[in-house]
Amino acid sequence: MTDSATEADRTARAPEHRPFATGWTVFAAIMLIAGGTMAIFEGIAGIAKDNLIVVTRHYVYSMNTTGWGWIHLILGIVIVLAGVALFSGAVWARVVGVVVAGLGMIANFLWLPYYPYWAVVLIAIDAFVIWALCAGTTRKDLTSSWEERPKS
């Protein structure tokens, strides 16, 4: 087989720039925004109506529900901002997304005695986000540099 592209054509081609995220990164961004929004609502519920939250007695990690509300409100805002930043496709946004999703998982684990179902749903969303951000982009992106090498 002959290769129709010359070496000059290969070196003249600039690497592909993506102004927006694609694939699993978009999924992770949308899930971060959704999960962060739910955490914001969780925080507002903990701050405004903390007497509606049932507190389990003798739980290892006990804290005032208003304090938990503020933690979830601030963390939810940071998670939403990380989700919006993921649409840029930048590597730093992926790293920040993994970190804030991990913090969200920890916060929701500690929130289990107060809102168990909601906490489990948010833990699952954060786990999917971490998986999606660590899975990378598409298979083509990973193999494109290999395919562009000259064949002997």
Side-chain angles (χ1 to χ4, degrees), residues 20-33 78-105 124-138 141-142:
F20 300 106
T22 58
W24 287 114
T25 307
V26 172
F27 169 79
I30 292 169
M31 294 306 284
L32 272 178
I33 292 170
V78 172
I79 289 172
V80 168
L81 292 175
V84 171
L86 273 174
F87 284 115
S88 70
V91 174
W92 66 267
R94 294 172 70 90
V95 172
V96 169
V98 169
V99 169
V100 297
L103 290 174
M105 285 179 77
I125 287 174
D126 289 332
F128 280 126
V129 166
I130 291 172
W131 176 79
L133 291 176
C134 292
T137 55
T138 64
D141 293 338
L142 299 174

Side-chain angles (χ1 to χ4, degrees), residues 1-37:
M1 279 193 211
T2 60
D3 194 9
S4 62
T6 65
E7 190 64 34
D9 290 338
R10 280 193 198 104
T11 56
R13 280 188 265 171
E16 184 180 339
H17 261 28
R18 292 185 183 188
F20 300 106
T22 58
W24 287 114
T25 307
V26 172
F27 169 79
I30 292 169
M31 294 306 284
L32 272 178
I33 292 170
T37 304

Side-chain angles (χ1 to χ4, degrees), residues 33-133:
I33 292 170
T37 304
M38 286 194 284
I40 290 170
F41 290 143
E42 193 174 48
I44 292 171
I47 294 167
K49 298 285 186 179
D50 62 345
N51 57 349
L52 294 177
I53 298 172
V54 178
V55 180
T56 305
R57 302 273 185 240
H58 307 295
Y59 187 63
V60 176
Y61 307 107
S62 62
M63 187 175 179
N64 182 357
T65 54
T66 304
W68 272 119
W70 281 107
I71 289 171
H72 282 284
L73 179 66
I74 293 167
L75 189 59
I77 292 169
V78 172
I79 289 172
V80 168
L81 292 175
V84 171
L86 273 174
F87 284 115
S88 70
V91 174
W92 66 267
R94 294 172 70 90
V95 172
V96 169
V98 169
V99 169
V100 297
L103 290 174
M105 285 179 77
I106 293 169
N108 284 300
F109 174 76
L110 298 174
W111 185 250
L112 276 171
Y114 306 108
Y115 266 129
Y117 298 118
W118 201 343
V120 168
V121 167
L122 288 175
I123 288 171
I125 287 174
D126 289 332
F128 280 126
V129 166
I130 291 172
W131 176 79
L133 291 176

